[in-house]
Every structure is written in C-alpha cells, then in structure tokens.
C-alpha cells in the first residue's frame, strides 16, 4: 500500500517521480504528492485524488530541481485530503517525508512533540515522523532519521529529504518494502521494482531496520546500529513492456491473456531435457518428502483460495492432512507447529503484512518455510527457507489473475513431485496427471476463446445487485475466487457457497431472478450439483453454469452455459477460473468502473 519514489541525479526530478508514481499507482490512489529541492527550498505539491489531479496541479504550479521524493497514498490514518497527502513536512518546511506503513505509537509521539511546542496540520501518523526527525536534527540528516526511528513502533518505508542536504535522500524500512536503484550519476528509491525499470535494472533490497543514504554518486546502507552494510546488487530480469498495458484497455485483461505464457514459463523450468518433472532446490528431496506428516498453508485473499485448492489436491494425491489458514487468523491464534509439518506460504507480492507475520511466527516456532511467490527479492522470498517462484511476470492490476493460476500450477507440480516420492499415486494415474499438467497452458489458451461468450453474459447480468456462486469439492475454492473477483472490481454483492451448504441457510436468499453461478467440473458430483441447481431454480434463480461439454445433467438444467475445456479432475481449477476472471472483468467494464484500481483497494497490502 502506498507507492514511494525518490530520485537524485541530473535530470528533472519531477518527471521521473511522476512517471515512477504512475507505475506504482496500483499500490494506492487516494492522493499523491511530491517534494522537490529547488534553489535552497523544498517545493511541495500534493493533491487528493488520482495522480492526474497532481499532474494538473503541477501544470499550474510547476516545480524544478534534480532531487525529490514522491508518494501515492492508500489512506490509513486520516481520510484522503490535500492536507493528509504526503509528503509531510516539519513546521519550517525544511524536512519532507513520504511514508508507507503505520506508525503505531504515533499518538504517544504526538503528545510528546506537542508538549515540546510542535503543532500538526494533518490527521496522519506520518506527519509525526517529520516533526520527530526535526526534533532530533542537529545538522546531520542521516543521524536525525536514525535517532527518530529508534522511537518508532510499527511499520515503515520512508524517504526523507531536507533543504539543507540537497545532495542526499535518506531511505529506511521496517516491514514495508523499499528498493534502491543504482544508476550512472543518478540513483533511485522506490517501493517496488516497476517504478525503476525505465532507468535501471540494478537494485539493492533494503532489509528491516536498515537506513540508506542515497546520493548522486552512490548508495550507502547502514544496519540498525549504524554500521555500514555490504549489499550485493540484484539484476532484475523483467523488462519494461512487462509492466505496461501493451495496447490492452486494462492491465487486468492483459494479465488474463498472459496466463498461457505465464503458466508455460512457470512449468518449463520444472521439466528437464528428458521431459521429466524436475523439482530441485526446495529442500524437498526424498527424505524430507517422506518425513512430511501434515501440510499447513497460509495466505490472504486470492492466494488463500489457491491454498484451498491445494488442500483438495494434496490430500487427494498424497493422503496426508492439509490445513489452510488465513494469515490474519493464523498469526493471532497461537498455532501449533509440529514436527513433520511442511509450511507453505503463498503470496504474489511476497510483501503482504499478515502473510509475512504468520510466516515469521511459524518460523519462530520451528517450522521450515516453503514460499510460493511471484516477486524475486520480496521480503517473503528472502526470509523463507526455500522459494518456488511463479514466473508470471509483474502483476499490476489489483485483481489477481495470472498470479493465481501460476500458484495453482506450482501446487500441482509440488503434489506430483511429492506423490512420486511417497508412492501415493498409481504410476499410470501419475503419468496421466503429469501429461495433463503439461497441456494446461494450451487448454487455458483455448479457454480464452470463450471471451466473447463471457462478455455477452456480463452484458446481460452486470446490472444485478447480488450474485451467488456455487461449487463442490475443487469447484468450491473457485466459486470463492470468482465471487471475490466479482465483488472487488464490479462492486456487485456476491457470495460463494459450498453447494451442499445451501439448504443449511443460504437458500433463503434465492428469489425470482437471483443470479446463481454454478461451477460443475467434478464428474462424480454432477448429480449432486444438478440437485442443487434444481433447488435454486425451483425458487426462481437464473442459473449460469460453468461446466465441461459432457456435463449433460447440468447443461439440461442451466439457463445459460459457459462451456469449459475438459481436463483431469485435479486440474479443473486452472480452467474454470478463467471465465470467472473474465466475467468479473467485463461486469466492471459494463458498469463503468476503473477495473485496475477498484475503490478502497490497493495491490500490495503491506499494512495490517
Ligand atoms: O500479494 P498477495 O498474494 O499476498 O496478496 C494477497 C491478497 O491481498 C490478494 O490476493 C487480493 O485478495 C487480490 N486483490 C485479489 O484479487
């Protein structure tokens, strides 16, 4: 949440800051602002609303200079307003701060500073930090930031500039990501790599409690005790185009269309020259796999639904128990970590605050952590014991799509790998599943051909106020994911039910014309799903079914059908989620919403 950019060099800082912020707007878009050093002063411009509002302000009131910081906000403390926008300054306007995170003890600090005569203009926790740095400032900005941060509780990624230090930006982090970009005679700071890609691919990842001094000539990193740290430069492989819309009207549609390639890119490195499955370097060699007694999966949002799919896939193929927990629940429920647990963390960004905290808790209790993540260099990837990357490329749209399907693929590959070692699947069954996994990118490509059909469905139904998804077994997590997708970008009220639960309460919601989306891919459950469809139809529901062409029972009953590509039962989530993603996308477009930046949301949830 919140995007930060910093630039120091010879070029126009404001252009680089605005361009960087536009690449980070997915992190928050309530307000935006910049502070640029110009001729002995810090010029601050900030505005409530999208980045365009700031652009307009800058046209009227331009700023010049070659050093500055910028911010795009997702509000936590204080409603979106010009005053609450970042950067925040000390009283004299000589120090400016941008911040991502939450200063948890800000009330106490505010009281302390208030007693010393400081006054406050905003409702934010960040402004307190600007005054606290001022309080400790004795002529050395780096020391003032280090001293101030010693008194701060909570999470932060910050950039600080001062009119008295035109040659440096001070950056620091704890529990919120920050990347330092290295250039020639210029250097950069950003919350996320896409903001830097046009200028450099050589980056340093700042670690918790570290503080950096970024000058035109170089980057110096210090640990929490102020001791210089040697950090290896990391070369980012993503190219600029990967983080651009490339002719698509929205990132979400582009990312849905990238799914076949993302899946192939995730699959290929795990198949060796002989065409065999090859999972190495995860600490899951024979002995370790045989020792697993339970799998515990922890994640948030869409990633947690990938985990729910994992429960069905692992239990069916390995015959060992699987627990799936929301990270926000796991971290506060005094969880039991046992010998023989394989602890799986799933996170696209690798930065989600709750997932990170849950992972750290499990690790502190002795669990060995395997992370499935998309972002190389992310905090989760650095702190986990082993990482299985989803090679989906940058996912920019707030609504997760290609990250989800590649997470599912990683789960399927892990299940295959472990099943072979444990001998929990018959050879022929294993071979058939492995062959079907390799066919998935092509099947997903074929599924995308249903786009026009889904678009027509969206046109017919985008005006509904409620939509209910039903599914059983592996279709249940996809019902939940389809429902989340629909509500987060089209704002249609939606819920998902395990179809067998209908008669225990939810069926009371069905009335004449209620839209029910029935996902039915599990052949042995067609009859059960058919009964559920009859039950809702008898109460007036309009049923849109998503099922393979052989599901005659379902096809006969449904009012409308989106036909799914056929595949092995365990792989159906990779197929059935595609029309669910497209449906949410087209409903949002039909309703005229900003698909990539839905209200109240941000891409990377780095605060609790
Ligand atoms: O980066 P993560 O995978 O850890 O993010 C988890 C959720 O915040 C994320 O999946 C969220 O639910 C998406 N907006 C769903 O589309």
């Amino acid at each position: 949440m919140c995007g930060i950019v910093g630039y120091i060099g010879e070029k126009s800082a404001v252009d680089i800051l605005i361009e960087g912020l536009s690449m980070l707007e997915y992190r928050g878009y309530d307000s935006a602002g910049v502070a640029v050093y110009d001729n002995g002063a810090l010029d601050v411009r900030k505005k409530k609303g999208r980045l365009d509002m700031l652009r307009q302000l800058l046209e009227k009131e331009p700023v010049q200079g070659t050093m500055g910081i910028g911010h795009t906000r997702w509000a936590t403390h204080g409603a979106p307003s010009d005053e609450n926008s970042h950067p925040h300054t000390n009283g004299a306007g000589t120090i400016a701060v941008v911040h991502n995170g939450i200063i948890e003890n800000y009330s106490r600090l505010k009281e302390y500073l208030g007693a010393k005569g400081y006054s406050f203009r905003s409702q934010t926790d960040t402004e307190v930090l600007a005054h606290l740095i001022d309080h400790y400032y004795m002529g050395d900005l780096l020391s003032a930031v280090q001293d101030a941060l010693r008194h701060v509780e909570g999470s932060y990624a910050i950039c600080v500039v001062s009119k008295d230090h035109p040659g440096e930006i001070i950056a620091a982090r704890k529990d919120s990501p920050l990347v330092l970009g290295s250039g020639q005679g210029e250097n950069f700071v950003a919350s996320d790599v896409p903001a830097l890609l046009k200028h450099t691919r050589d980056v340093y990842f700042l670690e918790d409690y570290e503080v950096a001094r970024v000058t035109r000539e170089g980057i110096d990193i210090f640990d929490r005790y102020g001791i210089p740290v040697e950090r290896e430069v990391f070369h980012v492989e993503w190219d600029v185009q990967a983080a651009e819309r490339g002719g698509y009207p929205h990132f979400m549609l582009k990312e849905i269309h990238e799914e076949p390639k993302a899946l192939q890119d995730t699959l290929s490195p795990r198949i060796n020259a002989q065409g065999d499955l090859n999972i190495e370097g995860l600490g899951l060699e024979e002995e370790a796999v045989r020792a697993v007694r339970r799998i515990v999966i922890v994640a948030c949002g869409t990633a947690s639904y990938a985990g729910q799919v994992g429960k069905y896939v692992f239990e069916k193929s390995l015959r060992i128990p699987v627990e799936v927990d929301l990270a926000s629940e796991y971290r506060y429920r005094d969880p039991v970590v046992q010998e023989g647990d394989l602890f799986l963390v799933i996170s696209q960004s690798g930065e989600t605050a709750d997932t990170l905290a849950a992972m750290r808790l499990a690790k502190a209790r002795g669990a060995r952590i395997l992370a499935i993540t998309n972002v190389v260099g992310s905090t989760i990837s650095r702190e986990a014991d082993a990482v299985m990357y989803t090679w989906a490329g940058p996912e920019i749209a707030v609504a997760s799509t290609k990250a989800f399907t590649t997470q599912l693929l990683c789960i399927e590959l892990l299940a295959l790998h472990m099943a072979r070692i444990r001998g929990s699947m018959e050879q022929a069954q294993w071979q058939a599943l492995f062959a079907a996994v390799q066919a998935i990118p092509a099947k997903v490509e074929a599924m995308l051909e249903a786009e026009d059909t889904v678009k027509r469905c969206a046109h017919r139904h985008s005006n509904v106020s409620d939509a209910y998804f039903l599914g059983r077994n592996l279709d249940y997590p996809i019902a939940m994911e389809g429902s989340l997708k629909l509500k987060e970008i089209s704002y249609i009220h939606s819920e998902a039910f395990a179809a067998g639960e209908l008669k225990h309460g939810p069926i009371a919601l069905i009335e004449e014309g209620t839209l029910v989306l029935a996902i039915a891919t599990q052949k042995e459950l067609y009859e059960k799903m058919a009964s559920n469809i009859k039950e809702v139809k008898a109460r007036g529901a309009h049923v849109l079914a998503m099922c393979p062409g052989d599901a005659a029972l379902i096809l006969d009953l449904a009012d409308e059908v989106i036909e799914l590509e056929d595949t092995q039962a365990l792989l159906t989530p990779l197929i059935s989620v595609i029309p669910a993603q497209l449906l949410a996308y087209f409903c949002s477009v039909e309703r005229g919403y900003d698909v990539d930046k839905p209200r109240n949301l941000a891409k990377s949830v780095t605060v609790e």
Side-chain angles (χ1 to χ4, degrees):
M1 342 218 61
C2 299
I4 290 177
V5 185
Y7 174 74
I8 183 161
E10 300 302 332
K11 300 178 189 139
S12 161
V14 74
D15 296 339
I16 289 171
L17 297 178
I18 296 294
E19 173 202 87
L21 291 178
S22 73
M23 304 300 285
L24 293 183
E25 233 191 333
Y26 60 85
R27 298 182 66 90
Y29 29 84
D30 295 335
S31 59
V34 293
V36 175
Y37 173 82
D38 181 24
N39 221 3
L42 288 179
D43 285 340
V44 176
R45 304 283 184 274
K46 50 190 197 172
K47 198 75 195 152
K48 178 184 166 186
R50 299 283 164 97
L51 195 55
D52 270 343
M53 305 303 289
L54 176 65
R55 281 197 187 98
Q56 285 168 27
L57 175 67
L58 284 163
E59 269 167 33
K60 278 190 249 149
E61 299 172 25
V63 292
Q64 284 177 13
T66 56
M67 188 271 273
I69 55 178
H71 189 266
T72 174
R73 179 172 187 242
W74 187 86
T76 58
H77 293 57
S81 70
D82 291 353
E83 208 49 80
N84 288 335
S85 312
H86 299 213
H88 289 281
T89 59
N90 60 341
T94 54
I95 295 171
V97 180
V98 290
H99 167 224
N100 171 26
I102 295 178
I103 310 292
E104 284 166 7
N105 60 337
Y106 87 103
S107 307
R108 260 185 290 135
L109 292 171
K110 197 168 180 175
E111 228 172 87
Y112 171 79
L113 290 164
K116 301 237 171 257
Y118 285 92
S119 55
F120 298 83
R121 290 169 294 229
S122 75
Q123 287 82 52
T124 65
D125 50 338
T126 305
E127 190 189 350
V128 172
L129 201 49
H131 296 298
L132 195 63
I133 294 168
D134 174 278
H135 176 60
Y136 283 105
Y137 182 70
M138 314 282 266
D140 180 347
L141 189 62
L142 175 68
S143 303
V145 172
Q146 286 168 323
D147 288 343
L149 291 178
R150 270 184 209 110
H151 300 274
V152 163
E153 289 164 20
S155 59
Y156 55 79
I158 56 167
C159 274
V160 185
V161 289
S162 161
K163 84 161 186 57
D164 299 314
H165 298 265
E168 65 187 31
I169 298 173
I170 306 300
R173 77 157 267 178
K174 179 186 167 269
D175 292 338
S176 287
L178 211 55
V179 189
L180 310 171
S182 166
Q184 293 290 322
E186 57 181 3
N187 287 302
F188 309 81
V189 187
S191 346
D192 212 345
V193 166
L196 305 178
L197 286 177
K198 280 201 177 138
H199 307 284
T200 181
R201 304 239 204 116
D202 290 334
V203 302
Y204 301 95
F205 294 105
L206 210 57
E207 302 278 356
D208 276 354
Y209 298 104
E210 288 180 346
V211 180
R213 179 196 275 129
V214 181
T215 63
R216 287 180 177 80
E217 296 76 34
I219 296 172
D220 299 307
I221 302 176
F222 304 92
D223 70 9
R224 65 198 302 175
Y225 308 108
I227 297 169
V229 173
E230 281 297 320
R231 177 72 25 85
E232 266 187 41
V233 70
F234 181 88
H235 188 74
V236 178
E237 300 292 342
W238 291 348
D239 55 16
V240 184
Q241 290 78 21
E244 289 177 336
R245 276 211 313 267
Y248 283 90
H250 300 100
F251 276 110
M252 185 179 175
L253 189 62
K254 174 181 179 245
E255 288 161 7
I256 292 173
H257 279 266
E258 284 172 348
E259 286 181 90
K261 178 175 184 309
L263 287 162
Q264 192 59 55
D265 289 349
T266 302
L267 181 65
S268 299
R270 278 98 192 191
I271 311 271
N272 66 17
Q274 291 71 45
D276 195 12
L277 178 65
N278 188 22
I279 306 266
E280 279 180 342
L282 300 183
L284 284 179
E285 283 73 45
E286 200 157 334
E287 207 181 318
V289 168
R290 287 192 194 287
V292 176
R293 294 282 160 270
R294 179 176 76 146
I295 298 177
V296 179
I297 306 178
V298 169
C300 297
T302 286
S304 80
Y305 298 135
Q308 294 284 357
V309 170
K311 180 175 173 66
Y312 289 88
V313 171
F314 287 129
E315 287 193 343
K316 184 100 181 153
S317 52
L318 303 178
R319 308 309 304 145
I320 50 177
V322 179
E323 271 186 30
V324 187
D325 219 332
L326 295 168
S328 53
E329 288 300 312
Y330 184 89
R331 64 182 292 192
Y332 292 119
R333 71 167 173 76
D334 197 9
V336 178
V337 174
Q338 297 169 352
E339 213 181 315
D341 279 355
L342 171 62
F343 195 91
L344 204 57
V345 171
I346 309 176
S347 173
Q348 185 284 130
S349 62
E351 299 291 351
T352 300
D354 283 323
T355 311
L356 185 56
M359 176 179 109
R360 285 175 175 164
L361 175 65
K363 200 169 178 181
R365 292 186 176 195
R368 201 179 168 280
I369 315 287
L370 171 58
I372 296 180
T373 185
N374 193 39
V375 181
V376 178
S378 59
T379 310
I380 286 176
S381 76
R382 283 178 287 128
E383 293 190 17
D385 296 297
V387 185
M388 185 172 193
Y389 284 107
T390 51
W391 296 115
E395 191 181 66
I396 308 288
V398 165
S400 187
T401 54
K402 60 177 178 170
F404 179 69
T405 41
T406 52
Q407 285 161 359
L408 295 183
L409 184 61
C410 284
I411 286 168
E412 303 283 355
L413 292 171
L414 277 177
L416 276 167
H417 169 72
M418 292 174 73
R420 178 154 67 178
I421 292 174
R422 294 174 73 98
S424 52
M425 268 174 126
E426 280 178 16
Q427 173 89 12
Q429 203 188 351
W430 191 97
Q431 286 297 351
L433 186 59
F434 183 44
V437 161
Q438 293 173 80
I440 279 294
K443 292 267 179 190
V444 169
E445 184 87 63
M447 199 60 244
L448 287 172
E449 282 168 26
E451 184 169 320
D452 285 342
T453 311
V454 180
K455 195 174 178 177
R456 285 194 292 276
C457 291
H459 181 67
R460 283 194 289 276
H461 300 299
S462 63
N463 60 350
V464 299
S465 49
D466 310 281
Y468 300 105
F469 284 76
L470 299 183
R472 284 171 178 265
N473 197 276
L474 278 155
D475 298 329
Y476 177 41
I478 298 307
M480 291 192 277
E481 170 59 5
S483 171
L484 173 66
K485 216 92 297 174
L486 188 68
K487 63 172 86 91
E488 82 173 315
I489 57 171
S490 78
Y491 318 147
I492 294 172
H493 166 247
S494 171
E495 291 183 55
F497 301 114
E501 274 295 293
L502 262 185
K503 51 192 159 302
H504 299 290
I507 200 161
L509 294 166
I510 307 296
E511 53 189 14
E512 200 55 43
T514 305
L515 179 62
V516 170
L517 298 113
I519 307 177
T521 65
Q522 304 299 301
K523 297 191 193 321
E524 74 276 21
L525 292 171
Y526 283 164
E527 274 183 31
K528 301 286 171 202
M529 274 303 288
S531 302
N532 297 131
I533 291 174
K534 281 183 197 154
E535 286 159 12
V536 292
K537 278 188 69 84
R539 280 136 187 112
H542 177 96
V543 175
L544 165 51
M546 300 183 196
C547 60
D550 71 350
L553 279 176
I554 311 289
L555 296 174
D556 286 351
L557 289 168
D559 298 293
E560 291 169 70
V561 175
I562 298 172
E563 213 172 287
L564 301 177
E565 289 291 310
D566 207 4
T567 183
Q568 288 255 335
L570 283 184
L571 302 179
T572 55
L574 282 143
I575 303 295
S576 55
V577 78
I578 303 296
Q581 293 170 347
L582 285 167
L583 186 72
Y585 171 77
F586 286 117
C587 281
S588 178
V589 172
E590 284 274 340
R591 290 164 73 101
Y593 296 134
D594 187 342
V595 179
D596 289 335
K597 300 190 194 85
R599 70 185 178 206
N600 307 337
L601 291 173
K603 179 72 181 161
S604 183
V605 187
T606 54
V607 294
E608 266 199 85

